[in-house]
Amino acid sequence: MTTALIDLKAVGHDDRGVRVALAGELDFHTAGRVEPRLRDLAGSGHRLMVLNLSGISFCDSSGIELFLRLDRFCRAEGTRLVLCDVPPLLVKSMRVLGADRRLRLVAT
């Protein structure tokens, strides 16, 4: 049995916010591993959190639900969550599930 891998890296922060890159497979197992780290970053006083998803090779509904939970958490903390460079297949999945109506997706 192979364990899916996910990598989370805070790639920078400044007075505008924090930028985070996610890479790998985002599924039921890996979403639970990265969620606490994402919440810590979102709750650290930044007004903006940008997640670069260009490195995501797979994302199931657990990953999309993670983004929705993180968005709710960010809003409660006064932080704006932005997802950038979202792979086309993931954008399509978000549209099918209606998550794109809640999440802010941008191209960079």
Side-chain angles (χ1 to χ4, degrees):
M1 180 176 188
T2 303
T3 302
L5 300 176
I6 188 78
D7 182 40
L8 180 150
K9 182 179 2 175
V11 294
H13 61 88
D14 54 29
D15 58 338
R16 292 177 299 188
V18 62
R19 293 177 308 282
V20 180
L22 282 176
E25 298 180 5
L26 192 54
D27 60 16
F28 176 77
H29 300 289
T30 59
R33 290 199 329 242
V34 299
E35 184 169 7
R37 293 169 61 198
L38 289 169
R39 282 178 173 253
D40 285 345
L41 288 167
S44 62
H46 298 289
R47 298 186 54 74
L48 173 66
M49 178 180 216
V50 178
L51 289 182
N52 183 312
L53 303 180
S54 63
I56 295 293
S57 59
F58 173 81
C59 182
D60 66 9
S61 60
S62 298
I64 295 171
E65 181 59 35
L66 164 67
F67 297 137
L68 291 168
R69 284 193 307 273
L70 184 62
D71 181 67
R72 285 190 297 273
F73 180 81
C74 284
R75 288 173 192 262
E77 293 290 317
T79 303
R80 191 170 105 212
L81 176 65
V82 175
L83 307 179
C84 74
D85 295 330
V86 183
L89 190 55
L90 180 50
V91 170
K92 184 176 181 179
S93 296
M94 288 180 177
R95 284 189 180 133
V96 167
L97 295 172
D100 65 319
R101 292 182 295 223
R102 180 69 175 167
L103 299 169
R104 182 178 180 116
L105 310 177
V106 298
T108 58

